[in-house]
């Protein structure tokens, strides 16, 4: 399995952070690159979407949403019962793992392209759909059915979050303009995508390095959770992919979505919606463990599992 | 201090950037009529806030107001924010020319 | 008339701003992208300029400058007499509408390319020429012939303004280096131009949304002015284009220059030169009304008008 | 306060970024020998200054000086800037070690 | 000032950005438990610090602490930094609610 | 000798700075572009390196390092004895001139490509190797053999400096991934390189303009030194190139490395390691004199000299 070069940028950032290099990528560049990536992913998905009937996607979408709801529930039970975390912390972590990581998705897509494995471009639609329901579920779990939650501001926060706005906005732009309309923008949004992803991963390496200290607070249980949970979630994703007759490539993407934990939308939303939850735990696990785990080991592994599963069912 | 100057309170809050919106809304409910924000980073009980990414960035909010407004704001911070958020707040005495403005 | 996809980015930004999304494009990115656009437009113009005799442009330039001087004068009279605005406000608004918007020009050029309508590359020279005379005129109008104006700092402010420096600098670089010399830079300055414009329009959408509140201060008269003035100015531009025997494409660009209102050079210069003028009025009208009006309706309309006018005179 | 410390005035001005140049020139004419600027955004009588683009950005200027210089600066602000610009100014007492430096 | 408030010292240091690391390390040795940094530019004896590139950028460090810690910090600055670096430092009195935090 | 268009961007920035235009390139863009340039140079070098045996480079590397050590020594003696500068200032300046300027190197490479003169891609390795030894030497010279230096923090500062980390990181990435692995990133790191360099030079022009005031402090002796020293150092570089049988192109690059003075790694390191040294002197000379001197006159001159020398020895 040939390795994916963009990961080297992540490792470089991680290394620079760990040796406490004075390399610092300005926060503004982080913002700019993430806006670019979200828009570009949305646009690419929208162009693909224009080639399919939306109605045909409704069935798979429902199945995927239903299966995905299992992830935060499993995560919550494991963390709250087994891990004896505070209810708020367990709920916030559940929301992070139930939601998705856009960059992990992009690296998985790039891994597939590099290995010439086809996947459906409309998978981006599921990325968008999976982003926010888990955040709402997390709040419900935190409140334990109590009625204190101010849903209005919470919903506005989540649906007006920049990742949702840019992904959906990109989808619509790609869908309305089509491949032809977007062509003059291809030089920016398509050709530079991989390079920008590499640059962003360099930055993510620095961020992850700065969060390694949080891991100590998180403790061994949470570190284990940060690796076991993506494996379990990816397995669910692969089974759903099989059930929906997805190609190997699309199944790997779905597994990656399920396995990934959000660190853009979720931290911001949870900080407001579940103030008692300690962000060091959720960010330590999601960013310090699960993100590098998926990048370095998870994605190739899910691909391997998808191939085998495909063999079994054929 | 110059006798033309009127005494006011300067309330400074340094906190996680992610709570900017609810915090400003709370201040507005209390009766604050203006504020100034600068981007910040720092260190404290809640660890290193290096502003490398949005979740680790701080903001520094200044509010120039009457001392009773500053007190009300401090009380709101104490009851709603001190426990759960990385946040410090302090007040100092300053002089201004246009007392009615603040 | 096929619609221009970059406008979708503007609408996305506008929408995100209106729903108060947390999508914020860092001010630094605004600065960076505008530097890029100004330089790139200058360079493209300079390359074209190298293919023409400067002497041949002098005549048209004079005619255009003379006609363009009408715009701030008309605007001032309408606002001061009819709209009963304060003298300073009327003068500042006149300066904004007499000057030009570089981004509106770029969208018009992009509209023409998309519809395969040829235009002369040296139109950028007129963009540069039209940028600052109206600013000086605005100051004269504000002072009412009084002699208080400190012209020195004012002139330095205007001529050292970044838009003038980058446009003229780009013109010179393109002119000196020629198409061949610039070729190694084409990957950045030409290929990415349209994508960067789209990105910048996303940002402009956010900015416009944040200025919609100013419209309330501006009032109905100024909102009407923000749409009638570009129509009138565009008509003058089209007649001048006809008089100078411009192609349809070049006429549309000239009409767009005349119709557009400055929001880079003018606000900065007016804030210093006419302190009593309320920037909420000028920015509300120029950015809140005229900019979107030109983007969404004006440019295709000016094209339509140019086609008809061309038919009439042929 | 530490007896080694000398009393000085800290004048803080928060204003529209677009008037940075003339304002600094005015301060220099008054005799100010140094200043510090940070980028800022905020809200006040002149509405929302969100720093999304240059025309809506603020700056925060600090000047450490003798009280008579601070008074002169405040007077200049009052006569030339208060009426037309979004701007606040306040002074506070601070202590420094090197009194001759400011 | 509100009687619930406890007196603390606010030490502000404005200095060349390039000495951030050693300076923070020195403050930590002295016993400072937190700090806040904002990016700054300015002008002073050492000329124009326009923040156009890293070597001409300033930072503005705030430390909220007890007055003896502020004194120790000032002494350290005086002996190790005043001579060779573009740097100013000043202290002011502020009030806080949580005295044990600083 | 055809002139190199990217230099026009430097002149534009310089001009804008001198007339005190309000054109300001945000510091964050400076950081971002310099990260890009360092990484891209490293990656290009790494790809080339993969085509050569590392062992074969060890000999030349040693010779180059030995010869390069002469530069700070000469500089120190000239400045301390002849120029009567304070020991700390002489030592800090020696460190700046002993180290290298990455941007000057990039402009020289671009000059060679433009004139179709071949050079070896692995020259980047020498760029990396030459960056930091002079910094250590500078500290030794400042201390005069005294033992006060805290080498630990100093070494960490230098080796963890962002230029070293990015150059070596880029080298490793290019080397590990190879031309094929990097291909999807070519659109960013190769195609845009020249354009980004132009943009960065615009910024450098502004920075240099803002440092011209320092030249007054530096005085005539230092201004002279800022032009004589690169000439002397380039001559050494050309002789070493001749000795190592380098091609003309590679010799020009080596001469440029020797002639260039660092303004990324050196100022930061010297500010910490030699606090008594006045940075206005070293930055005034390195950035205010030597950088433009090399860009405008030096590089074509070194090429001329390399051609002649080649003629002599053949
Ligand atoms: N003693 C202090 N002096 C200055 N700033 C502080 C101090 N303590 C905390 N802060 C700031 O307040 C933020 C939150 O503080 P904390 O809740 O202690 O983590 C920190 O990230 C710092 O920016
Ligand atoms: N009460 C206040 N407290 C803190 N900052 C303020 C206050 N009022 C105004 N400002 C700042 O000063 C700027 C100009 O104020 P104004 O002229 O009231 O619009 C605002 O954009 C804020 O940044
Ligand atoms: N009087 C002053 N008021 C405010 N800031 C100052 C003053 N003097 C110096 N500074 C700041 O401190 C930095 C270093 O000062 P200096 O050592 O005087 O060059 C300057 O770049 C300014 O940012
Ligand atoms: Na997930
Ligand atoms: Na116009
Ligand atoms: Na050198």
């Amino acid at each position: 399995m040939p390795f994916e070069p963009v990961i080297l940028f992540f490792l470089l950032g991680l290394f620079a952070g760990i040796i406490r290099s004075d390399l610092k990528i300005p926060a503004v560049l982080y913002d700019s690159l993430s806006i670019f990536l979200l828009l570009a992913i949305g646009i690419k998905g929208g162009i693909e979407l224009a080639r399919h009937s939306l109605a045909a996607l409704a069935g798979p979408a429902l199945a995927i949403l239903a299966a995905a709801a299992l992830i935060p529930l499993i995560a919550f039970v494991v963390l709250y019962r087994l891990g004896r975390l505070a209810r708020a912390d367990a709920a916030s972590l559940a929301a992070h793992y139930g939601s998705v990581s856009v960059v992990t998705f992009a690296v998985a897509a790039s891994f597939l392209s590099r290995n010439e494995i086809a996947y459906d471009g409309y998978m981006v639609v599921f990325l968008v759909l999976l982003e926010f329901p888990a955040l709402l579920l997390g709040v419900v779990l935190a409140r334990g059915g109590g009625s204190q939650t101010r849903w209005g501001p919470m919903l506005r926060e989540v649906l007006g979050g920049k990742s949702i706005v840019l992904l959906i906005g990109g989808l619509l732009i790609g869908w309305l303009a089509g491949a032809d309309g977007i062509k003059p923008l291809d030089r920016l949004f398509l050709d530079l995508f991989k390079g920008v992803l590499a640059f962003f991963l360099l930055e993510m390496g620095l961020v992850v390095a700065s969060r390694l200290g949080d891991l100590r607070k998180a403790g061994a249980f949470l570190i284990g959770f940060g690796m076991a949970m993506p494996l379990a979630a990816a397995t669910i994703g692969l089974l759903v992919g099989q059930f929906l007759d997805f190609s190997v490539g699309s199944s790997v993407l779905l597994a990656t979505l399920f396995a990934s934990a959000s660190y853009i939308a979720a931290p911001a939303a949870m900080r407001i919606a579940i103030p008692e939850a300690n962000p060091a735990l959720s960010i330590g696990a999601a960013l310090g463990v699960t993100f590098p785990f998926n990048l370095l080991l998870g994605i190739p592994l899910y691909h391997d599992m998808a191939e085998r599963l495909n063999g079994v069912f054929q | 201090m110059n006798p033309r100057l009127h005494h006011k309170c300067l309330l400074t809050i340094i906190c996680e950037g992610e709570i900017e919106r609810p915090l400003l809304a709370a201040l507005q409910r209390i009766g604050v009529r203006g504020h100034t924000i600068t981007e910040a980073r720092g260190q404290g009980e809640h660890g290193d806030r290096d502003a490398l990414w949005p979740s680790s960035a701080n903001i520094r909010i200044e509010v120039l107001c009457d001392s009773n407004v500053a007190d009300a704001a401090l009380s709101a911070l104490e009851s709603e924010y001190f426990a759960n958020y990385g946040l410090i707040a302090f007040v100092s005495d300053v002089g201004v020319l246009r007392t009615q403005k603040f």
Side-chain angles (χ1 to χ4, degrees), chain A, chain B:
Chain A
M1 189 142 322
F3 82 108
E4 169 54 52
V6 289
I7 286 174
L8 294 174
F9 290 80
F10 175 72
L11 293 176
L12 175 58
L14 196 63
F15 173 78
I18 288 171
I19 65 161
R20 293 177 54 69
S21 157
D22 75 348
L23 171 62
K24 264 191 203 139
I25 300 203
V28 167
L29 190 57
Y30 180 99
D31 288 342
S32 307
L33 298 181
S34 68
I35 292 171
F36 175 91
L37 292 174
L38 290 163
L39 254 184
I41 288 172
I43 291 173
K44 274 201 268 187
I47 295 175
E48 292 300 320
L49 201 57
R51 300 195 178 120
H52 291 82
S53 101
L54 280 184
L57 287 181
L62 279 180
I64 287 171
L65 276 174
L70 287 177
I71 299 170
L73 295 175
I74 295 173
F76 180 74
V77 170
V78 168
L79 292 163
Y80 188 48
R81 300 280 173 212
L82 224 72
R84 299 185 172 283
L85 267 73
R87 181 171 201 109
D89 287 324
S92 166
L93 272 154
H96 281 74
Y97 280 84
S99 183
V100 293
S101 155
V102 176
V103 171
T104 310
F105 177 83
V107 172
S110 153
F111 170 89
L112 294 174
S113 309
R114 180 163 174 75
N115 291 288
E116 289 169 11
I117 302 161
Y119 59 86
D120 291 308
Y122 57 68
M123 294 300 294
V124 175
V125 176
F126 305 131
L127 164 67
V128 174
L129 287 178
L130 290 174
E131 180 133 27
F132 65 91
L135 304 184
L136 307 183
L137 209 53
V139 178
V140 173
L141 291 169
R143 297 288 161 255
S147 58
Q148 282 168 292
T149 318
R150 285 178 290 162
W151 286 103
M154 165 74 192
L155 263 176
R156 185 148 23 81
E157 190 74 29
V158 168
L159 293 178
K162 80 169 180 191
S163 42
I164 296 285
V165 165
L166 288 170
L167 283 171
I168 296 189
L171 269 178
L172 280 174
I173 290 176
W175 192 65
L176 288 170
D180 268 9
I182 296 298
K183 183 154 284 154
L185 310 176
D186 280 0
R187 297 287 80 72
L188 183 68
F189 287 109
L190 296 194
D191 291 2
L192 297 192
F193 184 80
K194 197 92 179 263
V196 171
L197 181 63
F199 224 99
F200 193 73
L201 284 169
L202 176 68
E203 178 135 12
M204 288 307 302
L206 288 169
V207 171
V208 168
S210 76
R211 291 304 107 191
L212 289 183
D214 288 349
L215 286 189
R216 244 168 309 152
K217 290 179 201 150
F221 179 81
L222 217 47
I223 296 177
F225 174 84
M227 296 189 277
M229 190 68 223
L231 286 175
T235 309
I236 301 178
L238 290 173
L239 293 173
V240 174
Q242 198 66 44
F243 168 76
L244 294 171
D245 247 346
F246 275 10
S247 69
V248 165
S250 294
S251 286
V252 171
L253 286 184
L254 190 63
T256 303
L257 283 176
F258 277 31
S260 73
S262 161
Y263 55 86
I264 296 185
M270 290 304 105
R271 207 68 198 96
I272 306 279
I274 315 181
E276 324 79 275
N278 179 358
L281 300 184
S282 45
I283 290 175
L287 206 55
V289 182
T290 303
F291 180 71
F293 174 80
N294 277 328
L295 245 59
L296 302 175
L297 302 176
I299 294 169
L301 185 63
Y302 310 149
H303 173 236
D304 212 51
M305 287 160 73
E307 292 278 19
R308 279 163 209 268
L309 208 61
N310 208 36
V312 169
F313 283 80
Q314 245 158 12
Chain B
M1 235 184 238
N2 183 326
R4 288 171 61 214
L5 293 179
H6 305 272
H7 282 274
K8 289 279 164 181
C9 257
L10 178 68
L11 166 66
T12 306
I13 303 167
I14 296 164
C15 67
E16 304 179 19
E18 276 166 345
I19 57 171
E20 176 178 329
R21 274 194 201 197
L23 194 58
L24 290 182
L27 290 174
Q28 207 155 8
R29 281 193 298 274
I30 283 159
V32 155
R33 286 153 70 189
H35 68 259
T36 298
I37 298 180
T38 50
E39 313 300 323
R41 51 201 170 89
Q43 209 165 0
E45 266 180 84
H46 291 81
D48 209 359
R49 308 270 315 159
D50 52 21
L52 273 184
W53 65 309
S55 287
S56 73
N58 286 349
I59 53 174
R60 182 180 187 279
I61 307 178
E62 278 174 311
V63 174
L64 194 53
C65 57
D66 283 323
S67 67
N68 60 331
V69 174
D71 287 348
L74 279 176
S75 300
L77 290 176
E78 193 175 21
S79 62
E80 291 172 46
Y81 289 91
F82 278 1
N84 291 322
Y85 293 107
L87 178 145
I88 70 169
F90 52 89
V91 294
S92 59
D93 287 321
V94 302
V96 302
L97 283 179
R98 295 170 294 177
T99 184
Q100 76 300 339
K101 187 172 161 70
F102 304 103

